[in-house]
Amino acid sequence: MPKAVSLFSGCGGSDAGVIAAGFNVVMANDVLPYARDVYLANHPETDYRVGNVNRIETFPDAELLVGCYPCQGFSQGGARDPGRKINTLYLEFARALHAIRPKAFIIENVSGMVRKNFQHLLQDQIKVFTEIGYRVKVKVLNAADYGVAQERKRIFIVGLRSDMGLDYEFPMPTHGVGMPRVTIADALEGMPEWPEGEFYAREFHRYYLSRDRRRGWNEVSKTIVANPRHMPLHPISPSMVRLEPDKWAFSHEGRARRFSYREAARLQGFARDFVFPDTISGNLNMRYTVAGNAVPPPLFEAVARVLPDIWD
């Protein structure tokens, strides 16, 4: 099996996809202890290093480098400040790329990186990776087009080492044209209707009610987020009606709740037996955080599977 190194790995969404595509992830990294706990509960064979990536001095050899550096600076739900230091973590990825010299790399980030005020950062990433010696391709993909029960648009940056003389081609959509998209009902099949203690049960605040947060059972979900207060509604909830601009209400007084963290993981495309271990750092908010920050494994698998056969 070709080897992969993973940076900014979170609880392992990207790596679950890489493993499904036939790679052996030999090292992973993130700053969150509970992300490490979840990752190792599901992939105990990986060397997971908790801490800031800039403290990692040496990297193991690998044919593939993957990374999903934090997106708060680019995200629609984040600060959207192009000057934030967090926006330049790609330079740490570049440091690892230069040290490992893998045959290929895959990066995932929020689609907001293509906005006009962030274009210079995207172009600088392409420039840096090209100068290290890679032929780079960039595309925004929607997870719902690749078997994930969720609308989730993400940018992928993929590079192949220049000395191989090959260009990467992104995968064609597998769902939505010819094959139906995976729905909320498909993803949540067999899960309890009202899992007490596993969902954020606080009030629906004014900002939450500023838009329609609900999709039906036979639709794909709205984007799963890391903040439990903003998690989309479970379809058991009443439909929402628009009262005026930026003001919505439930159509009747039936029971309503947000998706639980386990449901969020299912809607991200994690396996049905995915484990959230009970550890000191694993409170409800943190479980939502690691689930919502993850990359949908089927989407990352689709991107990794169409890498050219360059591993011998």
Side-chain angles (χ1 to χ4, degrees):
M1 295 173 66
K3 294 182 291 186
V5 166
S6 171
L7 303 178
F8 313 100
S9 313
C11 70
S14 59
D15 297 12
V18 165
I19 291 167
F23 291 84
N24 175 26
V25 181
V26 295
M27 192 207 91
N29 155 259
D30 202 272
V31 296
L32 292 177
Y34 189 64
R36 182 267 320 274
D37 296 343
V38 175
Y39 189 112
L40 292 180
N42 294 279
H43 306 290
E45 67 286 349
T46 300
D47 173 19
Y48 198 107
R49 306 183 189 180
V50 176
N52 196 311
V53 66
N54 65 19
R55 297 177 183 171
I56 300 177
E57 296 181 357
T58 61
F59 301 90
D61 293 334
E63 287 75 41
L64 176 66
L65 176 64
V66 302
C68 312
Y69 23 86
C71 61
Q72 291 92 329
F74 309 110
S75 174
Q76 182 70 23
R80 283 180 281 172
D81 177 2
R84 293 189 71 192
K85 187 175 181 180
I86 200 169
N87 295 339
T88 57
L89 282 174
Y90 65 87
L91 296 175
E92 288 296 331
F93 185 90
R95 179 174 68 88
L97 188 66
H98 190 273
I100 301 170
R101 296 289 298 170
K103 293 182 177 179
F105 72 81
I106 304 173
I107 293 165
E108 180 266 3
N109 213 307
V110 293
S111 60
M113 195 185 289
V114 301
R115 291 195 194 98
K116 185 176 180 180
N117 56 331
F118 293 118
Q119 275 288 325
H120 66 290
L121 290 169
L122 177 58
Q123 292 304 317
D124 192 58
Q125 290 173 71
I126 296 170
K127 177 177 180 288
V128 167
F129 302 143
T130 300
E131 289 177 349
I132 293 174
Y134 288 83
R135 296 165 76 155
V136 181
K137 292 290 189 72
V138 179
K139 191 171 184 178
V140 174
L141 303 178
N142 187 347
D145 294 336
Y146 298 90
V148 179
Q150 174 195 173
E151 292 281 354
R152 192 181 189 91
K153 293 182 179 180
R154 291 295 185 266
I155 191 169
F156 280 83
I157 306 172
V158 182
L160 300 178
R161 210 169 61 205
S162 300
D163 61 343
M164 294 182 294
L166 299 171
D167 288 312
Y168 177 79
E169 297 295 334
F170 282 95
M172 296 295 292
T174 56
H175 293 68
V177 179
M179 180 179 292
R181 286 181 165 179
V182 179
T183 66
I184 296 173
D186 296 329
L188 304 190
E189 182 183 7
M191 300 194 79
E193 185 177 276
W194 201 262
E196 285 288 353
E198 294 190 358
F199 61 87
Y200 186 82
R202 301 286 294 275
E203 75 284 352
F204 299 105
H205 46 83
R206 187 164 61 93
Y207 176 76
Y208 193 89
L209 297 174
S210 67
R211 65 194 71 178
D212 186 357
R213 305 277 182 173
R214 183 186 178 278
R215 291 272 177 89
W217 284 106
N218 294 320
E219 298 178 276
V220 298
S221 172
K222 291 176 174 289
T223 300
I224 296 300
V225 295
N227 187 332
R229 297 181 73 214
H230 301 157
M231 183 62 62
L233 287 165
H234 189 284
I236 196 175
S237 308
S239 60
M240 298 189 74
V241 293
R242 186 173 181 266
L243 304 179
E244 57 187 71
D246 299 325
K247 187 174 182 179
W248 292 70
F250 292 110
S251 58
H252 59 84
E253 295 185 358
R255 293 198 301 175
R257 70 170 177 87
R258 300 163 175 88
F259 287 121
S260 72
Y261 67 87
R262 293 189 195 277
E263 291 163 342
R266 284 276 193 95
L267 293 166
Q268 287 273 54
F270 281 98
R272 289 174 179 262
D273 60 354
F274 189 74
V275 175
F276 287 90
D278 294 323
T279 64
I280 294 174
S281 58
N283 59 39
L284 182 66
N285 280 8
M286 186 55 65
R287 293 177 187 224
Y288 270 113
T289 295
V290 299
N293 278 338
V295 185
L299 176 58
F300 214 96
E301 178 186 355
V303 174
R305 275 198 181 278
V306 295
L307 288 165
D309 188 7
I310 52 179
W311 315 116
D312 293 336

